[in-house]
Amino acid sequence: MPTSKVKPEGNRRAFQRNFCAAFTLAMLLAPAAFAADAKDSEAKNKNKDQQAFCRYVTEQAAAQRDLLMAPNAVAGITQPNTGLPMQAVWGVSGNLSSVRKGVLTMDAARKNCELYSATTSTQQDIQYALPSLEKQALQHRLDLIQQASANLDALFATTTRMVEAQNMTRPMAFALQTTKIKLDADRSDTQTKIVSLYTPPLSGRPVKELVAEKQSREVNEQKALDKLNRQNDWDVALSVGEHQQISPFIDSRGAYGEVSISYNLASHTINKHLNQTADAYGEWKKVQEGDVIRNADILKQQVVDGISTQDARLKALQEQQKQIESNLQLVGSADTTAALDFHNQLTTAQLLLQIEIGDASFRLDRLKEFLQTNF
């Protein structure tokens, strides 16, 4: 039987076409390998602002990644200067540095998203820390006012019975009514302050942990950007395709391939500057007005000053309380109308003073607890 022979030229051309197709397929599939990265940051963030920002930077990075990692299709006509016939060439080209940059671009976007989330969370906790403490103190003050009102109502009921028995005069009872008006006004004012304070849900984590996490995210982002910038130090470029003689035209198809390696001679100096850039960035963030580290220091000082103020306020109120208690002991057993009137005045003053003492004590304890927990 006659046998057919496969020409070596046919094998060579088939190999060349398969190689070109495999190279093109690998370069085209490379971006798809990282397509899932575009949604990673969004899944880790629940805050709408953070989700929107992460989606923005991720989509932007994904576009840059696809541009870097997808191969370039090339076609053209060339006239070699060695006297050879005119050639038409077509194929694809790409470089390993761009592929690596595509991967690192997505990594830098993730780090940027994580940094933004950590920064905004820390900023929110710092911004609303004192308003949150103030709201708690006002709510506690409402409880103190309610307790004082109940005690005043009991005293007013007793005084009313004594007025009916003609043991006390009506002006004495009216003095208690005046104190009741003050308590109601204080309650209304406190409720107004509570509703005027906006305090979003806070993380509940210590500020020192949030600041440390934010600093860690900054380091990670700078490392990611540093890796991305260092990819300019070197490159390996690949180019494959086919060529065809067109003048004169003959069937002379053939494959071509080219590999070139480049290295920037200033890489050592460039990397040194990149390292110094990262250090300078960290130092700048520590002193930047408006940055969370600076704002955390301001918050700490505000809390320390608040502790000092409330401590002085509490001591002054306690001194007044001692004087009232001393006077109450003097008139405790008196049964004259004047003594009973003075007793009621001291008691109402004590009720009002207890609100202020309770308020100052609560604020002082909460500020001390906050300082110890967060710093």
Side-chain angles (χ1 to χ4, degrees):
M1 295 180 62
T3 60
S4 60
K5 296 183 179 180
V6 180
K7 296 182 179 180
E9 180 66 19
N11 286 336
R12 183 176 62 82
R13 290 181 178 178
F15 172 78
Q16 292 168 348
R17 293 192 184 96
N18 291 337
F19 177 79
C20 293
F23 175 80
T24 304
L25 181 62
M27 295 295 289
L28 288 173
L29 290 180
F34 303 95
D37 294 341
K39 299 181 180 180
D40 288 349
S41 297
E42 288 186 10
K44 296 179 181 178
N45 294 276
K46 297 181 181 179
N47 182 281
K48 291 183 179 180
D49 167 59
Q50 295 169 356
Q51 287 182 1
F53 177 81
C54 289
R55 181 180 179 184
Y56 160 70
V57 297
T58 304
E59 291 296 337
Q60 189 178 52
Q64 183 66 18
R65 174 204 61 195
D66 293 345
L67 175 65
L68 290 168
M69 299 183 69
N72 295 318
V74 296
I77 298 176
T78 179
Q79 173 65 62
N81 57 6
T82 58
L84 296 177
M86 184 178 294
Q87 301 280 327
V89 295
W90 61 92
V92 292
S93 64
N95 56 74
L96 297 183
S97 178
S98 293
V99 174
R100 181 61 176 163
K101 285 181 181 179
V103 178
L104 294 177
T105 297
M106 291 303 301
D107 183 60
R110 285 195 299 271
K111 297 298 189 297
N112 189 10
C113 170
E114 293 170 357
L115 174 59
Y116 182 81
S117 300
T119 300
T120 52
S121 296
T122 306
Q123 286 175 337
Q124 179 171 281
D125 276 34
I126 292 175
Q127 179 180 354
Y128 293 102
L130 292 182
S132 178
L133 291 175
E134 179 65 18
K135 202 167 188 177
Q136 295 175 28
L138 291 173
Q139 189 62 51
H140 179 260
R141 186 181 182 87
L142 275 182
D143 297 336
L144 294 174
I145 293 173
Q146 183 60 36
Q147 182 179 354
S149 295
N151 294 334
L152 184 63
D153 289 340
L155 181 61
F156 185 77
T158 302
T159 302
T160 301
R161 289 194 298 268
M162 296 181 70
V163 170
E164 293 174 352
Q166 297 183 351
N167 292 328
M168 295 188 70
T169 63
R170 291 191 179 276
M172 297 178 184
F174 180 75
L176 297 180
Q177 188 65 34
T178 303
T179 303
K180 180 67 174 178
I181 294 174
K182 292 180 180 179
L183 287 177
D184 290 341
D186 193 358
R187 179 189 291 107
S188 177
D189 182 61
T190 303
Q191 291 173 337
T192 301
K193 290 179 179 178
I194 290 177
V195 298
S196 66
L197 285 174
Y198 170 72
T199 53
L202 303 181
S203 67
R205 298 173 56 191
V207 173
K208 57 186 177 183
E209 289 185 6
L210 293 173
V211 172
E213 180 180 352
K214 187 260 184 184
Q215 289 179 302
S216 175
R217 298 297 187 191
E218 282 183 338
V219 172
N220 292 337
E221 185 201 34
Q222 288 302 305
K223 287 182 178 179
L225 294 176
D226 185 63
K227 287 182 180 179
L228 181 60
N229 291 329
R230 290 174 189 268
Q231 297 308 307
N232 297 320
D233 294 349
W234 62 273
D235 195 9
V236 177
L238 306 175
S239 181
V240 296
E242 288 189 317
H243 62 86
Q244 166 66 50
Q245 180 177 319
I246 58 175
S247 179
F249 181 82
I250 60 174
D251 187 11
S252 61
R253 283 190 178 185
Y256 72 88
E258 179 182 0
V259 179
S260 62
I261 301 175
S262 61
Y263 179 77
N264 193 312
L265 297 180
S267 297
H268 177 72
T269 303
I270 293 173
N271 293 337
K272 181 179 179 181
H273 288 302
L274 289 175
N275 293 334
Q276 293 175 348
T277 299
D279 295 337
Y281 180 83
E283 293 299 325
W284 166 53
K285 283 295 180 180
K286 290 180 181 179
V287 298
Q288 181 189 14
E289 290 292 340
D291 191 72
V292 296
I293 300 176
R294 173 66 175 164
N295 289 340
D297 292 337
I298 294 174
L299 175 61
K300 181 179 179 180
Q301 187 59 48
Q302 288 176 323
V303 172
V304 171
D305 293 341
I307 290 174
S308 177
T309 301
Q310 293 300 327
D311 186 56
R313 176 193 175 198
L314 180 59
K315 290 179 179 179
L317 292 171
Q318 288 173 340
E319 288 296 326
Q320 296 178 25
Q321 185 183 41
K322 290 179 181 180
Q323 295 179 10
I324 291 177
E325 290 177 349
S326 177
N327 289 326
L328 281 172
Q329 290 178 358
L330 294 175
V331 299
S333 59
D335 56 0
T336 64
T337 301
L340 291 173
D341 184 27
F342 187 44
H343 182 275
N344 281 357
Q345 292 179 22
L346 291 173
T347 302
T348 55
Q350 186 181 48
L351 290 176
L352 296 176
L353 192 59
Q354 286 174 348
I355 294 175
E356 300 302 328
I357 291 176
D359 182 61
S361 298
F362 182 84
R363 291 174 181 271
L364 183 60
D365 292 341
R366 292 295 292 122
L367 287 172
K368 287 182 177 180
E369 179 184 353
F370 182 85
L371 182 64
Q372 182 178 4
T373 302
N374 290 272
F375 298 100

